Amino acid sequence: MTISRRPLILGAVVAAGTLAATALPASAASVTAGSHSKPKPTVVLVHGAFADASSWSAVASRLQKAGYTVVAPANPLRGLTSDAAYISALLKTIDGPKVVVGHSYGGAVITQAAAGDASVKALVYVAAFVPDKGEQLGELGARFPGSQLSDALQPLPDGAGGTDLAIQTAKFHAVFTADLPASTSALMGASQRPISAAAFTDVATAAAWRDIPSWAVVATQDRAIAPDLERFEAKRAGSHTTVVDSSHVVMISHPDLVTKVIKSAATATG
């Protein structure tokens, strides 16, 4: 792992054996009796496409044990505009300072949702899309070679006359979860949540990383988002960057590392 402080689709899936479609329960931040330390910020974990909130289970449990309040909402996956509006509204219901974390497509969602929110003290991008204002994820994802996602997608009807996208189960392991057991990948592929095709054509209307300090985890073996794109985005955003030899699902295969980065962001901006 290397750490740099140089300026500088998509989501994980259901954690093995867990099929939770709702937000993980939050625990109250623990403060030692008589301590004068500032309360820890709430950590909001936003999952990406083909996923639900349980993809954050390993990281969330570690943060809770460290005394952080954790909120892991269900990202609707209906398009960047509506998903960002949903997460933005959710953030306003959480009192106090917050560290907002996005994996993959969730990175694009938090980039728009956190813009202008003074209570968000840090952004953490985990193998994520980090768009600038005016960009589309489809265009951004095609800038650098290395992603195998587009060839692995299959269209599905969304039930309302539109199109959803899912990953072909036969390609799920190679594209998303190559450093996890094949049996785990099979479960994840079977329980994935499709994303609206609109997510890749919606135009980002804000870039919170221009005003909020950010941290980034770059996965060098990512085949869903090109590692070179992750590096480009982190450099452009001036993110504190950690590079790890991992597939796209970093928070599942390297939960200790991801937890450490989140705690670093919380400590630096607390």
Side-chain angles (χ1 to χ4, degrees):
M1 180 186 73
T2 61
I3 300 178
S4 169
R5 291 183 179 271
R6 292 174 298 174
L8 284 173
I9 271 191
L10 298 165
V13 285
V14 183
T18 308
L19 299 176
T22 56
L24 296 172
S27 67
S30 62
V31 180
T32 303
S35 171
H36 297 288
S37 300
K38 291 183 179 179
K40 290 179 169 65
T42 297
V43 179
V44 181
L45 303 170
V46 180
H47 68 80
F50 321 121
D52 67 23
S54 67
S55 60
W56 286 111
S57 292
V59 171
S61 64
R62 285 162 170 76
L63 289 169
Q64 288 179 333
K65 288 177 182 177
Y68 288 89
T69 297
V70 177
V71 178
N75 186 353
L77 307 181
R78 296 298 83 201
L80 181 57
T81 301
S82 60
D83 293 345
Y86 175 83
I87 297 299
S88 178
L90 174 76
L91 293 176
K92 290 178 173 59
T93 70
I94 302 171
D95 293 333
K98 292 172 275 292
V99 172
V100 183
V101 186
H103 174 250
S104 192
Y105 168 69
V109 173
I110 70 170
T111 294
Q112 187 158 315
D117 190 335
S119 70
V120 178
K121 303 304 180 182
L123 302 168
V124 181
Y125 295 104
V126 180
F129 280 115
V130 188
D132 200 354
K133 181 178 179 180
E135 292 181 340
Q136 296 176 315
L137 298 189
E139 181 278 329
L140 186 60
R143 287 189 190 179
F144 295 87
S147 172
Q148 300 173 10
L149 184 66
S150 60
D151 291 335
L153 293 175
Q154 60 179 347
L156 298 171
D158 69 355
T163 301
D164 275 352
L165 298 171
I167 298 176
Q168 299 172 47
T169 54
K171 297 182 178 180
F172 202 93
H173 181 70
V175 173
F176 249 47
T177 57
D179 56 355
L180 296 183
S183 59
T184 302
S185 294
L187 175 61
M188 293 177 174
S191 54
Q192 65 179 292
R193 288 177 55 208
I195 185 171
S196 172
F200 301 103
T201 57
D202 283 349
V203 177
T205 60
W209 51 262
R210 290 193 170 275
D211 302 304
I212 301 173
S214 64
W215 279 251
V217 178
V218 172
T220 61
Q221 299 303 315
D222 198 335
R223 297 297 175 261
I225 298 177
D228 283 345
L229 175 59
E230 294 175 19
R231 292 186 181 95
F232 164 77
E233 294 171 323
K235 182 178 180 180
R236 179 173 68 174
S239 302
H240 306 273
T241 304
T242 299
V243 179
V244 58
D245 185 18
S246 173
S247 73
H248 188 61
V249 290
V250 192
M251 68 284 202
I252 298 175
S253 58
H254 295 82
D256 288 331
L257 180 144
V258 173
T259 301
K260 181 178 179 181
V261 172
I262 294 170
K263 290 167 69 175
S264 294
T267 301
T269 58

